[in-house]
Amino acid sequence: METIKIVEAKVLSDQFYTLKKVIFHKTQKSGQQVTQVREVYDRGNGAAILLYNRTAGSVILTRQFRMPTFLNGNLTGMLIECCAGLLDQDKPEEAIRRETEEETGYKIRAVEKVLEAYMSPGSVTEILYLFVAEYTKEMKVSEGGGLEEENEDIEVLEMPYTQALEMVRTGEIKDGKTILLLQYAELNRLMAC
């Protein structure tokens, strides 16, 4: 039986979120004990949602600058993705409703939880709760775009669902949570088209 014993957890940075260096002993299946060192980034848990309009055959996505993608070869740093955000002590359903209104300008009520997943478990503690929800034009209450006090500069994109799927195929959409939610919509035939 594998056992884990944390020897030391040292905070390396806590300016925005928390980056720790963790030294631990791990007893492997063979019974051998090994010492390992990992850097672990804790940014809290998050939620993401795919807004879809079955009748219009459309989805709402966002485009915004993401520094890590810029540092890893994305020349503009811009990423197309579904609406998402941190829970900030809220329940996932409450957080995604809040984030949807802030980022997209749509006030939704009914959300359907699809799944929860670790998106980068080798280094990030975050669990991401994934949702889908239907939207209509009547639910639009603002322009969206994010919160000014958080320096968010989010472009709201409404596009045909088929175009979004094609953008996954061509590599224009590279965001994991967005790909998962679009594929969920396809597998579960959420769209009429």
Side-chain angles (χ1 to χ4, degrees):
M1 181 174 155
E2 295 183 29
T3 58
I4 307 295
K5 180 181 180 197
I6 295 177
V7 177
E8 180 183 359
K10 179 181 178 183
V11 175
L12 301 177
S13 174
D14 65 353
Q15 292 183 17
F16 198 55
Y17 301 115
T18 305
L19 176 64
K20 291 181 181 177
K21 177 180 178 181
V22 180
I23 302 170
F24 61 99
H25 297 309
K26 178 178 182 278
T27 304
Q28 298 182 324
K29 290 183 227 175
S30 67
Q32 178 186 7
Q33 189 178 76
V34 295
T35 300
Q36 295 184 348
V37 179
R38 296 289 184 271
E39 288 184 0
V40 179
Y41 190 58
D42 184 354
R43 59 184 304 267
N45 294 328
I49 191 164
L50 177 67
L51 298 177
Y52 68 96
N53 184 309
R54 186 184 316 262
T55 305
S58 60
V59 294
I60 301 289
L61 298 176
T62 64
R63 182 182 358 245
Q64 62 184 305
F65 179 79
R66 297 296 197 181
M67 177 55 80
T69 74
F70 180 76
L71 294 174
N72 197 21
N74 179 357
L75 297 179
T76 65
M78 300 302 283
L79 199 67
I80 296 173
E81 54 190 294
C82 55
C83 171
L86 295 176
L87 300 186
D88 296 332
Q89 309 303 317
D90 289 334
K91 292 181 181 172
E93 293 82 0
E94 295 166 358
I96 202 55
R97 284 187 193 96
R98 178 192 72 240
E99 290 293 332
T100 299
E101 188 170 343
E102 289 174 6
E103 291 189 6
T104 70
Y106 285 88
K107 188 174 185 80
I108 57 169
R109 288 183 183 81
V111 297
E112 177 187 343
K113 183 178 173 189
V114 172
L115 57 96
E116 51 189 77
Y118 291 101
M119 297 302 286
S120 191
S123 60
V124 181
T125 62
E126 178 185 39
I127 293 176
L128 194 58
Y129 298 88
L130 300 175
F131 296 90
V132 295
E134 286 195 68
Y135 77 93
T136 64
K137 294 286 185 201
E138 294 75 31
M139 295 176 179
K140 185 97 168 146
V141 296
S142 75
E143 291 305 308
L147 298 177
E148 194 173 312
E149 62 266 22
E150 292 181 8
N151 295 313
E152 293 180 314
D153 186 19
I154 300 168
E155 180 184 357
V156 180
L157 306 172
E158 182 173 26
M159 68 178 66
Y161 167 68
T162 54
Q163 179 184 353
L165 288 176
E166 180 63 13
M167 290 171 81
V168 170
R169 194 189 70 71
T170 63
E172 290 176 82
I173 293 178
K174 293 185 178 186
D175 176 63
K177 66 187 174 298
T178 304
I179 294 168
L180 277 172
L181 285 168
L182 287 167
Q183 289 181 345
Y184 174 86
E186 183 71 3
L187 288 171
N188 291 279
R189 299 189 173 135
L190 296 183
M191 304 301 281
C193 55

